[in-house]
Amino acid sequence: MRSFSYTRAQSPAEAASAAARTENAKFIAGGTNLLDLMKLEIETPAHLIDVNGLALDRIEETPDGGLRVGALVRNTDLAADGRVRRDYAVLSRALLAGASGQLRNKATTAGNLLQRTRCPYFYDTNLPCNKRKPGSGCAAIGGASRQHAVVGASEACIATHPSDMAVAMRALDATVETIRPDGAVRSIPIAELHRLPGDSPEIETTLQPGELITAVVLPKPVGGMQAYRKVRDRASYAFALVSVAAIVQPDGTGRVALGGVAHKPWRVEAAEAEMPRGARAVTAKLFADARPTNDNAFKLPLAERTLAAVLREARG
């Protein structure tokens, strides 16, 4: 690991300002993703800004009946919160499906959203990767691609977003609150937070340099049967091959977002109009532009069957 400097921020505004004026600076909270990448010299920040002392670790009710989740709320605490379990069950279930208990105890809400979209080739510094070195190429294209994206990919990258929590929050229409280096605050719909790879897969979010996430706001509960199903190669500590976050109302309408299939949580609102007709109709629209490889074409029927199982559960 390369040497770096370290400071503790005293306020969100100070943290954002310091990140903007310090070259190659990174925020650190739980560090469950960043420290691993630093050890491999994939991430090489010159300066770390510790944000753990910023009092952003509370879950508070909002005036309209939703919840404001601080950026530093640990995944374990968010999943166990009684209000989350009662009103946002899809989120609690998604969190419990992620990583391991030890990692959930350290990982934060903001850190979960901002973990790197990656694949096994990203970790191998002997192979080309446009995320590690823009313009070097993508070793996954033409390589072993069983775990990779089937939709929304590009000629530059076919990695999938690893977060389970983000998929549930996409189904819930969460909003991300941030503070910029100049002290201005803004709210970003979670649908607009993550980017598709395009020609610049190294840029994974719409955050500006130095911009710090301070909270995630969950809107007023929408009710319905909420489920998160994750299909993976082993029962723990594995990314999804396919995951389904679904909210199904008594009349058969609802929402659905998928994980493990794209560079970002995948939701196509127009597809949700097909939910009363069944999983096949929904997935036909979700994957209208799919470009699977021979290795991962199985994800298309797998997603359909997983959604079908959720819809059967919702219908009793």
Side-chain angles (χ1 to χ4, degrees), residues 40 50 64 70 74 89 91 121 151 171 177 216 223 231 248 251 268 275:
L40 295 170
D50 191 332
D64 65 352
R74 307 293 162 166
L91 176 57
Y121 293 98
V151 67
E177 294 184 347
V216 176
V231 182
V248 187
D251 63 359
V268 179
M275 287 185 70

Side-chain angles (χ1 to χ4, degrees), residues 219-281:
K220 182 179 179 180
V222 296
M225 192 285 288
Q226 300 186 15
Y228 187 80
R229 289 207 178 191
K230 180 177 182 179
V231 182
R232 48 190 162 175
D233 285 327
R234 57 180 184 269
S236 179
Y237 198 55
F239 294 145
L241 293 170
V242 165
S243 65
V244 173
I247 302 172
V248 187
Q249 302 298 341
D251 63 359
T253 61
R255 306 175 185 177
V256 60
L258 301 184
V261 298
H263 199 265
K264 60 185 287 186
W266 193 251
R267 182 180 173 194
V268 179
E269 280 82 344
E272 294 167 357
E274 305 293 332
M275 287 185 70
R277 295 180 56 201
R280 179 166 297 179

